[in-house]
Amino acid sequence: MRQETVEKALFSIQAKKRAAENEYAKQMAPLYQDANFAELEKTYTKLMIENAKKESLGEKADFEAQKALEREIEDQKAKFNVPKCPNYSCKTCKDTGYTNGEMCKCLKQEISKILLAGSGFEKLENFDDAIKTSGSLAPYYEKMRQWCNSKFTKNLIYISGPTGVGKTHLIRCMANELIQNGKVVKIVTAFKLNQDFKEFGKTQADEFLEKYLSCEVLFIDDLGTEPLYKNVTLECLYLIINERKMRKLPLVITTNLDLADLVERYDERVASRIADRETSITINLLGEDKRLKIQKK
């Protein structure tokens, strides 16, 4: 994950923290004007420091008295209708972005939002709504929802089918489910991916490929519609697929190509990595072009 992306997401999360704490300070202002509360908090702070010193020296600390003062402080807050703590948007990490030294779910969601910005996939879908209108494709939607909530023992999903059958709609649901589960998700069209392959071929700058290797779940939409650049497209595509498999990082591909077409367009190396039954799931969606159906109505 590029550091600037993480920093941008963290800045957004911590802006929420500052806003919550500023609002809390306003709520607390009347309390600090009360002499009894000011003295109570002063006594509590002094005791807390003393207990910390005693504990560090191996002496017995008076935590019962500290807890009693904490209860008194909470009672005073209640009288002034002040909540116990700031209203953080994320209760888990209190809008710090990290918990127990690991990225919090909220930070990962913010990173995914940044990665999706400008991709054309910012508008995602949810499975509950999609399944209601998916007709005969409902079992596939259910299967992919289960996969999104699994441990990804099979980490490559290959979704093929004719234009307009609902492949992109399905991955919008999958991406949404994964983001809600706290996964860092990136979606890219095959055309955009191929443009980065081309830039990598010119410059050999790792940044053009690393962003596709570092995200937790990568979606490639419409594989097979991109132009083929000699000595670039095939090699880079194989690198992305193989490296993500080696790192056990999920990859989801949509395409109009069946596996036979895949061999013909690319080569057996790419097809074999995708068709590996031990680590891949292949889904073939069949049906009418839903977009044309809507236009007819």
Side-chain angles (χ1 to χ4, degrees), residues 4-53:
E4 56 262 42
T5 302
V6 176
E7 289 175 356
K8 185 177 180 181
L10 192 57
F11 181 82
S12 178
I13 293 292
Q14 292 178 343
K16 297 176 184 178
K17 176 181 172 66
R18 291 190 295 274
E21 291 177 348
N22 288 339
E23 178 60 29
Y24 188 66
K26 293 177 184 177
Q27 293 173 309
M28 287 290 293
L31 264 174
Y32 287 125
Q33 294 173 11
D34 183 86
N36 291 332
F37 181 80
E39 185 61 30
L40 181 61
E41 194 165 67
K42 183 178 178 181
T43 303
Y44 171 74
T45 303
K46 182 179 178 182
L47 180 58
M48 187 171 60
I49 293 171
E50 288 176 358
N51 280 341
K53 286 181 179 178

Side-chain angles (χ1 to χ4, degrees), residues 120-142:
F121 292 93
E122 296 98 323
K123 185 179 181 299
L124 301 179
E125 313 285 347
N126 70 73
F127 275 113
D128 287 335
D129 292 338
I131 288 171
K132 292 176 184 176
T133 58
S134 58
S136 62
L137 299 181
Y140 296 108
Y141 278 76
E142 287 288 3

Side-chain angles (χ1 to χ4, degrees), residues 3 6 15 24 42 46 64 94 120 192 198 233-234 237 240 271 278 281 287:
Q3 188 60 30
V6 176
Y24 188 66
K42 183 178 178 181
K46 182 179 178 182
E64 286 301 319
K94 295 181 172 58
K192 175 62 175 68
K198 187 177 181 181
T233 301
L234 181 58
L237 180 62
I240 295 291
E278 288 188 11
I281 297 174

Side-chain angles (χ1 to χ4, degrees), residues 1 5 111-117 119 184-187 215:
M1 188 59 53
T5 302
I111 290 171
S112 292
K113 188 189 298 183
I114 292 170
L115 293 177
L116 291 176
S119 68
V184 175
V185 168
K186 182 174 181 61
I187 307 180
C215 57

Side-chain angles (χ1 to χ4, degrees), residues 5-200:
T5 302
V6 176
E7 289 175 356
K8 185 177 180 181
L10 192 57
F11 181 82
S12 178
I13 293 292
Q14 292 178 343
K16 297 176 184 178
K17 176 181 172 66
R18 291 190 295 274
E21 291 177 348
N22 288 339
E23 178 60 29
Y24 188 66
K26 293 177 184 177
Q27 293 173 309
M28 287 290 293
L31 264 174
Y32 287 125
Q33 294 173 11
D34 183 86
N36 291 332
F37 181 80
E39 185 61 30
L40 181 61
E41 194 165 67
K42 183 178 178 181
T43 303
Y44 171 74
T45 303
K46 182 179 178 182
L47 180 58
M48 187 171 60
I49 293 171
E50 288 176 358
N51 280 341
K53 286 181 179 178
K54 287 179 179 179
E55 192 174 31
S56 66
L57 295 171
E59 299 175 5
K60 186 177 180 180
D62 192 356
F63 289 117
E64 286 301 319
Q66 183 175 322
K67 288 179 181 178
L69 287 172
E70 287 174 358
R71 287 192 292 270
E72 283 189 57
I73 289 173
E74 295 307 323
D75 288 342
Q76 289 298 313
K77 286 182 181 180
K79 289 179 182 179
F80 282 80
N81 293 319
V82 175
K84 291 182 178 181
C85 63
N87 185 26
Y88 296 112
S89 60
C90 178
K91 312 304 180 188
T92 303
C93 71
K94 295 181 172 58
D95 292 342
T96 63
Y98 289 87
T99 178
N100 298 322
E102 300 290 334
M103 277 190 187
C104 183
K105 178 180 177 179
C106 69
L107 178 56
K108 289 186 176 185
Q109 290 175 337
E110 194 65 32
I111 290 171
S112 292
K113 188 189 298 183
I114 292 170
L115 293 177
L116 291 176
S119 68
F121 292 93
E122 296 98 323
K123 185 179 181 299
L124 301 179
E125 313 285 347
N126 70 73
F127 275 113
D128 287 335
D129 292 338
I131 288 171
K132 292 176 184 176
T133 58
S134 58
S136 62
L137 299 181
Y140 296 108
Y141 278 76
E142 287 288 3
K143 183 175 184 178
M144 288 299 93
R145 173 151 63 178
Q146 291 172 12
W147 178 82
C148 289
N149 292 282
S150 73
K151 294 182 178 179
F152 310 121
T153 51
K154 295 199 173 186
N155 56 22
L156 192 148
I157 307 295
Y158 189 76
I159 304 171
S160 65
T163 300
V165 76
K167 302 184 296 294
T168 301
H169 189 244
L170 175 55
I171 66 170
R172 287 181 192 273
C173 295
M174 294 171 69
N176 185 54
E177 186 83 2
L178 290 162
I179 290 170
Q180 296 309 311
N181 289 346
K183 298 296 182 185
V184 175
V185 168
K186 182 174 181 61
I187 307 180
V188 63
T189 63
F191 183 84
K192 175 62 175 68
L193 179 69
N194 203 39
Q195 293 304 305
D196 279 345
F197 288 168
K198 187 177 181 181
E199 292 303 316
F200 175 76

Side-chain angles (χ1 to χ4, degrees), residues 234-252:
L234 181 58
E235 295 305 317
C236 289
L237 180 62
Y238 178 77
L239 173 64
I240 295 291
I241 294 172
N242 190 60
E243 190 65 22
R244 289 193 66 87
K245 271 187 168 282
M246 296 295 289
R247 297 186 188 186
K248 293 182 170 49
L249 291 174
L251 169 63
V252 181

Side-chain angles (χ1 to χ4, degrees), residues 190 220-226 237 253-257 262 266:
I220 302 175
D221 193 35
D222 268 347
L223 187 70
T225 59
E226 77 286 356
L237 180 62
I253 298 171
T254 73
T255 182
N256 293 349
L257 306 175
L262 198 67
Y266 301 106

